[in-house]
Amino acid sequence: MANNQTSLLGQRRFLPYFVTQFFGAFNDNIFKNVLLLFVAFAGAGVLPISSNLFINLAAGLFILPFFLFSASAGVLADKYEKSWFIRKVKLAEIGIMCLGAIGFITESYAILLLLLFLMGTQSAFFGPVKYALLPQHLKQEELVPGNALVETGTFLAILLGTLGAGVIASAENAKYVAALCVIVFAILGYLSSRSIPEAPASAPDLKFKWRPIQQTKQTIAIAKADKTIFRSLMAISWFWFLGSAYLTQFPNFTHLHLNGSESAVSFLLALFSVGIALGSLACDKLSNHRIEVGIVPIGSLGITVFGILMATSVPEQLPEFVSFSEFLIHKPLWPVFISLLLLGSSGGIFIVPLYALMQQRAKVTERAQVIAALNIYNSLFMVGSAVLGIVCLSVIGMSILQLFLLLAVLNLLVTGYLFMQVPIFVVRFLTWVVTHTMYRVKHKNLHHLPEKGGALLVCNHVSYMDALLLSAVCPRLIRFVMEEDYANLPPLRRFLQRAGVIPISATNRRSIVSAFNQVEQALAQGHIVCIFPEGHLTADGEINQFMRGMDIILKRSSVPVIPIALKGLWGSYFSRYKGTACRGLPTRFWSKIEIEAGEPVAPNHASTTVMHDKVAELRGDWR
């Protein structure tokens, strides 16, 4: 994981982009939070309206441009070369911040409100191009680590911007310091954007006309056209719904329930942000450096579990803390701190694969418009989050802890829905975790497995774990041909059907004909199908003679055949080493296993004899 991410940070195709997006998020939060702090401590008569109304108006004005301009931003980001487009957006930020500096120095709060709207507009134009550029500069296997770094940078920028705003607002001559800082950070962002490599226009022939309502409808229609993209988009927006709800309540939660000061609020924000950063970085390792949607429901479950633990671990009685250090070392509060950190980590694990999946699935010519639709829905969900907070806390009279429990329960429903959508991928991910915990698994030459298109995998059959191991290490879903008696076991039947398992019975002609028809159809549709041509587990660790079913398949389907060897499983609890598999108690733990793929063999050269020899050669003497 570290090597993957460190290597990206050392490359021109990623580092200038990363620095640019970091300064964008950082400066947004410096400007917004300095303004809100100035408003909170403004003297009587300085503000044109009440401070409460001003703060709510500020929040609304920052979100409003995402509704108004996201669709137009998506079209423009697809139409023009992206590094050029980013530089134009960053130049606009410098202009806005120069006006903002004048507003800070003159204490013109009406102007600063207008500039907050302009900052929201600039962010709305930067969002689509920010995520649409990644797939053009990164390889597919780099999308997960790349998105992990982007999410890490974004949340650390939010954290540092929020903390930095507090330092700036409390400095002597704060308005001059704030004016200087926002201009300097905007310039730094622009300078870094000048080093972003060229990313050609995805759809240069797109016609752009200023029709915000029509473009918004069209952008949402594009996002809805692909169910997988739309579900990813909804899940990401749900994450921002939760994140917005938690972040909004942190100040009052800390003050009312934890007896904490302003420093304690910053500490909780830091825990949450660092948690998301750690979860984002860990996601790359957990997902085996690939887009693994099975990890998303696991992250969602973590959000629910740690959300409940955080709400229920708040001590009933707390002392009045004289200093922040007393708050920090008060041991009864540590479960709250740990739960909050793990809540953030679960969020990072949840969000990264969804961004990567959305970027991968979107059509090249519509990618920025899909991300623009995401920004529109994010804004809607964040407004919905604010409405939920107002209704629950002000109208119904719930406590903040009860609101946190409600959020956890709502998220549990989302977790259940996500699991129902991708049960195969969840089980495959858990299988990867379990098998790589039970065994020391090494992969060799898995690049021979095709990224797309139909292929037939031919593998030796050593244990009942064989299919699970292969399923866990292959980036694509494998359809296994399985003995009918196992495929029809009542507890597993429905799940195996959804997993695409093809049942076969060697003693039933109808079953054999049906199985071969299903295999032919699956290969024609571009699936990977795996068969164990021995027909049964090895009784002595050696590779038995291959049955002729493979020849029949290849007569009907002209697809490449890939030999795979499983090594080191003979003698495991799930093999017939003791005569019967799963007999007695396991005696081997943390054993070395290797899965090696050979070069694809053309179908006209792939006979049972040839493939037997290929698998045997791959396996060698290691049983």
Side-chain angles (χ1 to χ4, degrees):
M1 172 191 73
N3 290 342
N4 243 346
Q5 291 158 353
T6 306
S7 65
L8 279 179
L9 285 173
Q11 295 183 40
R12 184 170 172 258
R13 61 197 172 99
F14 185 78
L15 180 61
Y17 158 86
F18 177 81
V19 174
T20 301
Q21 69 88 24
F22 177 88
F23 274 117
F26 179 68
N27 213 19
D28 270 2
N29 281 276
I30 288 281
F31 184 90
K32 190 166 54 175
N33 287 294
V34 165
L35 175 57
L36 294 179
L37 287 169
F38 281 176
V39 167
F41 294 99
V46 174
L47 294 176
I49 51 179
S50 72
S51 63
N52 276 339
L53 180 56
F54 188 100
I55 288 169
N56 287 318
L57 194 57
L61 282 172
F62 189 78
I63 284 183
L64 183 60
F66 288 93
F67 294 108
L68 297 178
F69 306 120
S70 285
S72 301
V75 173
L76 291 171
D78 276 331
K79 181 175 176 61
Y80 294 108
E81 193 275 310
K82 291 180 179 59
S83 65
W84 172 86
F85 189 76
I86 287 175
R87 286 192 286 276
K88 296 301 179 190
V89 172
K90 299 311 284 185
L91 272 175
E93 183 182 342
I94 294 174
I96 293 166
M97 286 307 171
C98 286
L99 293 173
I102 295 169
F104 279 138
I105 292 168
T106 60
E107 297 184 19
S108 305
Y109 288 99
I111 293 174
L112 287 170
L113 268 181
L114 171 64
L115 291 171
L116 202 57
F117 175 81
L118 293 178
M119 276 298 296
T121 302
Q122 187 263 342
S123 296
F125 275 90
F126 184 60
V129 72
K130 165 184 169 179
Y131 284 108
L133 178 136
L134 267 184
Q136 286 185 250
H137 283 169
L138 301 185
K139 300 169 189 170
Q140 184 170 322
E141 63 270 21
E142 293 173 328
L143 273 180
V144 171
N147 276 283
L149 286 169
V150 169
E151 294 312 306
T152 299
T154 299
F155 277 92
L156 290 182
I158 291 170
L159 170 63
L160 294 173
T162 306
L163 298 179
V167 174
I168 291 168
S170 59
E172 285 188 43
N173 299 316
K175 59 186 181 181
Y176 295 103
V177 175
L180 178 65
C181 284
V182 293
I183 293 174
V184 168
F185 295 138
I187 291 171
L188 289 173
Y190 171 71
L191 291 176
S192 63
S193 75
R194 291 185 63 84
S195 298
I196 296 174
E198 189 173 310
S202 305
D205 298 328
L206 266 179
K207 302 295 181 189
F208 177 78
K209 290 184 179 178
W210 177 246
R211 294 175 180 168
I213 295 174
Q214 185 179 335
Q215 281 173 340
T216 299
K217 288 179 180 177
Q218 187 178 344
T219 298
I220 290 172
I222 288 170
K224 284 183 173 179
D226 185 309
K227 281 187 178 179
T228 301
I229 288 175
F230 188 65
R231 285 170 183 160
S232 301
L233 190 147
M234 288 289 102
I236 293 170
S237 295
W238 173 251
F239 168 81
W240 284 103
F241 176 95
L242 290 174
S244 178
Y246 279 114
L247 292 173
T248 303
Q249 302 308 327
F250 275 172
N252 282 337
F253 169 60
T254 310
H255 174 65
L256 298 174
H257 295 279
L258 305 181
N259 289 352
S261 61
E262 290 83 352
S263 300
V265 176
S266 299
F267 174 66
L268 291 191
L269 174 64
L271 279 178
F272 188 64
S273 301
V274 169
I276 288 175
L278 291 175
S280 298
L281 293 174
C283 183
D284 181 35
K285 178 69 174 175
L286 288 169
S287 61
N288 198 23
H289 318 299
R290 66 193 188 199
I291 298 172
E292 182 58 83
V293 294
I295 201 174
V296 173
I298 308 298
S300 184
L301 183 62
I303 291 172
T304 287
V305 170
F306 298 117
I308 291 172
L309 287 175
M310 184 181 74
T312 55
S313 58
V314 174
E316 288 187 12
Q317 290 189 325
L318 285 168
E320 293 294 327
F321 299 110
V322 178
S323 64
F324 171 64
S325 58
E326 278 188 19
F327 175 83
L328 201 58
I329 62 173
H330 190 64
K331 285 190 176 179
L333 285 176
W334 287 6
V336 178
F337 301 158
I338 293 168
S339 298
L340 182 55
L341 181 72
L342 293 174
L343 173 65
S345 299
S346 300
I349 290 169
F350 176 81
I351 199 78
V352 168
L354 291 168
Y355 272 113
L357 178 66
M358 184 177 64
Q359 290 161 356
Q360 181 204 43
R361 288 276 304 203
K363 293 178 185 174
V364 173
T365 55
E366 296 176 346
R367 194 176 280 137
Q369 293 171 81
V370 166
I371 295 159
L374 170 66
N375 286 346
I376 293 168
Y377 279 109
N378 279 352
S379 306
L380 281 170
F381 274 65
M382 288 167 76
V383 169
S385 173
V387 171
L388 179 72
I390 291 167
V391 169
C392 290
L393 299 177
S394 301
V395 179
I396 300 175
M398 293 171 67
S399 70
I400 292 173
L401 294 182
Q402 289 171 330
L403 174 62
F404 286 173
L405 287 173
L406 175 63
L407 290 173
V409 171
L410 291 174
N411 190 67
L412 185 61
L413 299 176
V414 172
T415 303
Y417 173 77
L418 290 172
F419 182 84
M420 293 304 294
Q421 295 304 308
V422 290
I424 314 307
F425 293 96
V426 177
V427 171
R428 189 180 75 169
F429 169 70
L430 291 174
T431 300
W432 185 88
V433 172
V434 171
T435 53
H436 285 62
T437 303
M438 290 170 58
Y439 304 111
R440 284 175 287 168
V441 184
K442 184 180 177 183
H443 314 143
K444 197 171 177 182
N445 296 326
L446 293 188
H447 63 275
H448 290 312
L449 300 176
E451 290 184 7
K452 56 185 177 181
L456 184 67
L457 307 187
V458 177
C459 185
N460 58 318
H461 204 6
V462 191
S463 78
Y464 287 122
M465 292 295 290
D466 296 353
L468 292 174
L469 282 163
L470 290 174
S471 175
V473 300
C474 181
R476 294 173 60 191
L477 192 67
I478 301 176
R479 296 192 63 180
F480 290 93
V481 178
M482 182 181 288
E483 172 58 47
E484 200 171 79
D485 289 343
Y486 298 124
N488 288 332
L489 285 172
L492 299 174
R493 185 175 180 178
R494 274 191 71 184
F495 172 77
L496 292 176
Q497 282 177 345
R498 289 196 67 175
V501 162
I502 299 168
I504 188 169
S505 172
T507 59
N508 185 328
R509 179 174 172 76
R510 183 180 291 179
S511 171
I512 294 169
V513 171
S514 172
F516 281 126
N517 287 337
Q518 287 184 65
V519 169
E520 181 183 9
Q521 186 180 9
L523 292 171
Q525 291 171 348
H527 293 289
I528 291 180
V529 176
C530 180
I531 60 171
F532 298 101
E534 295 165 89
H536 53 79
L537 297 187
T538 177
D540 56 6
E542 298 303 327
I543 301 175
N544 297 313
Q545 185 177 351
F546 282 9
M547 299 170 72
R548 67 184 188 92
M550 189 185 74
D551 293 332
I552 298 170
I553 291 170
L554 293 177
K555 280 181 181 177
R556 303 170 70 167
S557 303
S558 183
V559 294
V561 186
I562 300 160
I564 294 187
L566 293 170
K567 312 174 196 180
L569 277 167
W570 180 247
S572 77
Y573 181 67
F574 301 98
S575 71
R576 287 181 173 166
Y577 179 71
K578 295 180 180 178
T580 306
C582 306
R583 182 180 177 185
L585 296 173
T587 55
R588 292 197 333 174
F589 298 97
W590 200 227
S591 306
K592 285 184 179 179
I593 289 175
E594 186 170 282
I595 302 170
E596 182 175 0
E599 291 186 9
V601 179
N604 55 325
H605 292 126
S607 65
T608 51
T609 306
V610 169
M611 296 314 299
H612 181 281
D613 293 344
K614 292 275 186 187
V615 173
E617 184 184 346
L618 280 176
R619 197 207 65 172
D621 296 329
W622 187 6
R623 295 192 298 171

